[in-house]
mmCIF file of all heavy atoms in Angstrom:
data_model
loop_
_atom_site.group_PDB
_atom_site.id
_atom_site.type_symbol
_atom_site.label_atom_id
_atom_site.label_comp_id
_atom_site.label_asym_id
_atom_site.label_seq_id
_atom_site.Cartn_x
_atom_site.Cartn_y
_atom_site.Cartn_z
ATOM 1 N N LYS A 131 34.288 10.390 79.844
ATOM 2 C CA LYS A 131 35.311 9.452 80.282
ATOM 3 C C LYS A 131 34.717 8.137 80.652
ATOM 4 O O LYS A 131 35.279 7.051 80.399
ATOM 5 C CB LYS A 131 36.116 10.102 81.430
ATOM 6 C CG LYS A 131 37.359 9.232 81.806
ATOM 7 C CD LYS A 131 38.166 9.909 82.919
ATOM 8 C CE LYS A 131 39.382 9.112 83.295
ATOM 9 N NZ LYS A 131 40.206 9.783 84.326
ATOM 10 N N GLU A 132 33.537 8.190 81.345
ATOM 11 C CA GLU A 132 32.885 6.945 81.764
ATOM 12 C C GLU A 132 32.460 6.114 80.512
ATOM 13 O O GLU A 132 32.365 4.914 80.583
ATOM 14 C CB GLU A 132 31.621 7.280 82.580
ATOM 15 C CG GLU A 132 31.956 7.771 83.973
ATOM 16 C CD GLU A 132 30.701 8.058 84.792
ATOM 17 O OE1 GLU A 132 29.606 7.758 84.282
ATOM 18 O OE2 GLU A 132 30.817 8.570 85.908
ATOM 19 N N GLN A 133 32.217 6.803 79.400
ATOM 20 C CA GLN A 133 31.846 6.138 78.153
ATOM 21 C C GLN A 133 33.055 5.768 77.312
ATOM 22 O O GLN A 133 32.909 5.345 76.134
ATOM 23 C CB GLN A 133 30.902 7.028 77.379
ATOM 24 C CG GLN A 133 29.588 7.293 78.093
ATOM 25 C CD GLN A 133 28.705 8.287 77.315
ATOM 26 O OE1 GLN A 133 28.765 8.382 76.111
ATOM 27 N NE2 GLN A 133 27.840 8.985 78.054
ATOM 28 N N GLY A 134 34.262 6.031 77.812
ATOM 29 C CA GLY A 134 35.478 5.649 77.104
ATOM 30 C C GLY A 134 35.946 6.682 76.062
ATOM 31 O O GLY A 134 36.708 6.340 75.158
ATOM 32 N N MET A 135 35.509 7.939 76.187
ATOM 33 C CA MET A 135 35.847 8.970 75.233
ATOM 34 C C MET A 135 36.524 10.141 75.992
ATOM 35 O O MET A 135 36.001 10.641 76.993
ATOM 36 C CB MET A 135 34.682 9.460 74.467
ATOM 37 C CG MET A 135 34.980 10.592 73.459
ATOM 38 S SD MET A 135 33.522 11.155 72.493
ATOM 39 C CE MET A 135 33.475 9.851 71.264
ATOM 40 N N SER A 136 37.640 10.588 75.484
ATOM 41 C CA SER A 136 38.298 11.752 76.135
ATOM 42 C C SER A 136 37.620 13.073 75.595
ATOM 43 O O SER A 136 36.953 13.040 74.588
ATOM 44 C CB SER A 136 39.761 11.796 75.751
ATOM 45 O OG SER A 136 39.967 12.113 74.395
ATOM 46 N N MET A 137 37.870 14.149 76.323
ATOM 47 C CA MET A 137 37.324 15.417 75.924
ATOM 48 C C MET A 137 37.876 15.854 74.551
ATOM 49 O O MET A 137 37.204 16.463 73.738
ATOM 50 C CB MET A 137 37.632 16.490 76.976
ATOM 51 C CG MET A 137 36.768 17.743 76.909
ATOM 52 S SD MET A 137 34.989 17.377 77.163
ATOM 53 C CE MET A 137 34.379 18.974 77.576
ATOM 54 N N ASP A 138 39.161 15.573 74.333
ATOM 55 C CA ASP A 138 39.781 15.961 73.057
ATOM 56 C C ASP A 138 39.105 15.199 71.874
ATOM 57 O O ASP A 138 38.848 15.744 70.788
ATOM 58 C CB ASP A 138 41.285 15.663 73.052
ATOM 59 C CG ASP A 138 42.028 16.672 73.896
ATOM 60 O OD1 ASP A 138 41.494 17.732 74.137
ATOM 61 O OD2 ASP A 138 43.172 16.381 74.264
ATOM 62 N N GLU A 139 38.845 13.898 72.115
ATOM 63 C CA GLU A 139 38.168 13.075 71.063
ATOM 64 C C GLU A 139 36.760 13.640 70.817
ATOM 65 O O GLU A 139 36.379 13.748 69.664
ATOM 66 C CB GLU A 139 38.107 11.642 71.498
ATOM 67 C CG GLU A 139 39.450 10.944 71.498
ATOM 68 C CD GLU A 139 39.400 9.579 72.133
ATOM 69 O OE1 GLU A 139 38.536 9.331 73.044
ATOM 70 O OE2 GLU A 139 40.194 8.654 71.749
ATOM 71 N N TYR A 140 36.094 13.952 71.889
ATOM 72 C CA TYR A 140 34.717 14.525 71.705
ATOM 73 C C TYR A 140 34.737 15.846 70.976
ATOM 74 O O TYR A 140 33.908 16.094 70.115
ATOM 75 C CB TYR A 140 34.069 14.673 73.069
ATOM 76 C CG TYR A 140 32.680 15.249 73.044
ATOM 77 C CD1 TYR A 140 31.604 14.464 72.573
ATOM 78 C CD2 TYR A 140 32.386 16.587 73.420
ATOM 79 C CE1 TYR A 140 30.311 14.944 72.503
ATOM 80 C CE2 TYR A 140 31.125 17.069 73.371
ATOM 81 C CZ TYR A 140 30.077 16.257 72.869
ATOM 82 O OH TYR A 140 28.832 16.765 72.868
ATOM 83 N N ARG A 141 35.688 16.665 71.344
ATOM 84 C CA ARG A 141 35.867 17.950 70.643
ATOM 85 C C ARG A 141 36.080 17.806 69.176
ATOM 86 O O ARG A 141 35.501 18.497 68.335
ATOM 87 C CB ARG A 141 37.034 18.746 71.290
ATOM 88 C CG ARG A 141 37.125 20.206 70.840
ATOM 89 C CD ARG A 141 38.307 20.895 71.486
ATOM 90 N NE ARG A 141 38.075 21.122 72.887
ATOM 91 C CZ ARG A 141 38.686 20.437 73.889
ATOM 92 N NH1 ARG A 141 39.582 19.476 73.547
ATOM 93 N NH2 ARG A 141 38.433 20.726 75.149
ATOM 94 N N ASP A 142 36.971 16.870 68.796
ATOM 95 C CA ASP A 142 37.250 16.578 67.378
ATOM 96 C C ASP A 142 35.948 16.086 66.666
ATOM 97 O O ASP A 142 35.702 16.514 65.539
ATOM 98 C CB ASP A 142 38.336 15.569 67.246
ATOM 99 C CG ASP A 142 39.734 16.113 67.658
ATOM 100 O OD1 ASP A 142 39.827 17.370 67.733
ATOM 101 O OD2 ASP A 142 40.611 15.284 67.964
ATOM 102 N N GLU A 143 35.250 15.179 67.322
ATOM 103 C CA GLU A 143 34.008 14.698 66.708
ATOM 104 C C GLU A 143 32.956 15.744 66.542
ATOM 105 O O GLU A 143 32.252 15.802 65.527
ATOM 106 C CB GLU A 143 33.453 13.513 67.552
ATOM 107 C CG GLU A 143 34.233 12.213 67.433
ATOM 108 C CD GLU A 143 34.265 11.697 65.998
ATOM 109 O OE1 GLU A 143 33.199 11.614 65.375
ATOM 110 O OE2 GLU A 143 35.378 11.416 65.539
ATOM 111 N N LEU A 144 32.839 16.612 67.566
ATOM 112 C CA LEU A 144 31.847 17.684 67.470
ATOM 113 C C LEU A 144 32.206 18.675 66.383
ATOM 114 O O LEU A 144 31.361 19.149 65.655
ATOM 115 C CB LEU A 144 31.768 18.401 68.834
ATOM 116 C CG LEU A 144 30.691 19.467 68.924
ATOM 117 C CD1 LEU A 144 29.278 18.944 68.611
ATOM 118 C CD2 LEU A 144 30.734 20.095 70.323
ATOM 119 N N ARG A 145 33.478 18.998 66.289
ATOM 120 C CA ARG A 145 33.990 19.928 65.251
ATOM 121 C C ARG A 145 33.598 19.344 63.843
ATOM 122 O O ARG A 145 33.129 20.044 62.977
ATOM 123 C CB ARG A 145 35.479 20.169 65.353
ATOM 124 C CG ARG A 145 35.967 21.284 64.368
ATOM 125 C CD ARG A 145 37.491 21.331 64.324
ATOM 126 N NE ARG A 145 38.103 21.613 65.587
ATOM 127 C CZ ARG A 145 38.335 22.874 65.966
ATOM 128 N NH1 ARG A 145 37.960 23.891 65.233
ATOM 129 N NH2 ARG A 145 38.952 23.095 67.169
ATOM 130 N N LYS A 146 33.860 18.056 63.698
ATOM 131 C CA LYS A 146 33.563 17.405 62.458
ATOM 132 C C LYS A 146 32.066 17.435 62.142
ATOM 133 O O LYS A 146 31.657 17.718 61.008
ATOM 134 C CB LYS A 146 34.022 15.918 62.548
ATOM 135 C CG LYS A 146 33.994 15.169 61.244
ATOM 136 C CD LYS A 146 34.343 13.704 61.473
ATOM 137 C CE LYS A 146 35.704 13.501 62.115
ATOM 138 N NZ LYS A 146 36.034 12.077 62.317
ATOM 139 N N GLU A 147 31.269 17.166 63.174
ATOM 140 C CA GLU A 147 29.825 17.151 62.962
ATOM 141 C C GLU A 147 29.275 18.516 62.568
ATOM 142 O O GLU A 147 28.467 18.611 61.645
ATOM 143 C CB GLU A 147 29.166 16.720 64.266
ATOM 144 C CG GLU A 147 27.624 16.584 64.237
ATOM 145 C CD GLU A 147 27.040 16.164 65.541
ATOM 146 O OE1 GLU A 147 27.684 15.351 66.258
ATOM 147 O OE2 GLU A 147 25.911 16.599 65.853
ATOM 148 N N ILE A 148 29.755 19.565 63.225
ATOM 149 C CA ILE A 148 29.324 20.938 62.904
ATOM 150 C C ILE A 148 29.798 21.320 61.522
ATOM 151 O O ILE A 148 29.079 21.947 60.739
ATOM 152 C CB ILE A 148 29.806 21.941 63.959
ATOM 153 C CG1 ILE A 148 29.245 21.635 65.357
ATOM 154 C CG2 ILE A 148 29.431 23.352 63.546
ATOM 155 C CD1 ILE A 148 29.806 22.448 66.468
ATOM 156 N N THR A 149 31.003 20.916 61.161
ATOM 157 C CA THR A 149 31.556 21.272 59.872
ATOM 158 C C THR A 149 30.690 20.618 58.773
ATOM 159 O O THR A 149 30.346 21.276 57.772
ATOM 160 C CB THR A 149 33.008 20.760 59.736
ATOM 161 O OG1 THR A 149 33.808 21.366 60.692
ATOM 162 C CG2 THR A 149 33.571 21.017 58.353
ATOM 163 N N LEU A 150 30.346 19.307 58.931
ATOM 164 C CA LEU A 150 29.524 18.627 57.966
ATOM 165 C C LEU A 150 28.146 19.273 57.827
ATOM 166 O O LEU A 150 27.593 19.413 56.717
ATOM 167 C CB LEU A 150 29.376 17.169 58.327
ATOM 168 C CG LEU A 150 30.682 16.290 58.223
ATOM 169 C CD1 LEU A 150 30.383 14.875 58.693
ATOM 170 C CD2 LEU A 150 31.243 16.291 56.822
ATOM 171 N N GLN A 151 27.597 19.704 58.964
ATOM 172 C CA GLN A 151 26.282 20.357 58.943
ATOM 173 C C GLN A 151 26.361 21.687 58.203
ATOM 174 O O GLN A 151 25.460 22.016 57.439
ATOM 175 C CB GLN A 151 25.763 20.544 60.357
ATOM 176 C CG GLN A 151 24.282 20.997 60.437
ATOM 177 C CD GLN A 151 23.358 20.007 59.719
ATOM 178 O OE1 GLN A 151 23.365 18.835 60.042
ATOM 179 N NE2 GLN A 151 22.574 20.478 58.727
ATOM 180 N N ARG A 152 27.406 22.421 58.414
ATOM 181 C CA ARG A 152 27.584 23.713 57.726
ATOM 182 C C ARG A 152 27.749 23.488 56.231
ATOM 183 O O ARG A 152 27.127 24.238 55.450
ATOM 184 C CB ARG A 152 28.824 24.428 58.284
ATOM 185 C CG ARG A 152 28.613 25.087 59.622
ATOM 186 C CD ARG A 152 29.835 25.925 59.970
ATOM 187 N NE ARG A 152 29.561 26.732 61.132
ATOM 188 C CZ ARG A 152 30.406 27.630 61.663
ATOM 189 N NH1 ARG A 152 31.608 27.802 61.099
ATOM 190 N NH2 ARG A 152 30.121 28.309 62.736
#
Side-chain angles (χ1 to χ4, degrees):
K131 187 176 181 180
E132 288 181 5
Q133 298 176 27
M135 178 179 281
S136 71
M137 198 62 160
D138 286 341
E139 290 171 330
Y140 180 72
R141 188 181 292 107
D142 289 343
E143 285 300 310
L144 184 59
R145 187 191 297 274
K146 189 186 302 178
E147 183 180 327
I148 297 172
T149 300
L150 293 176
Q151 191 58 56
R152 284 187 170 183

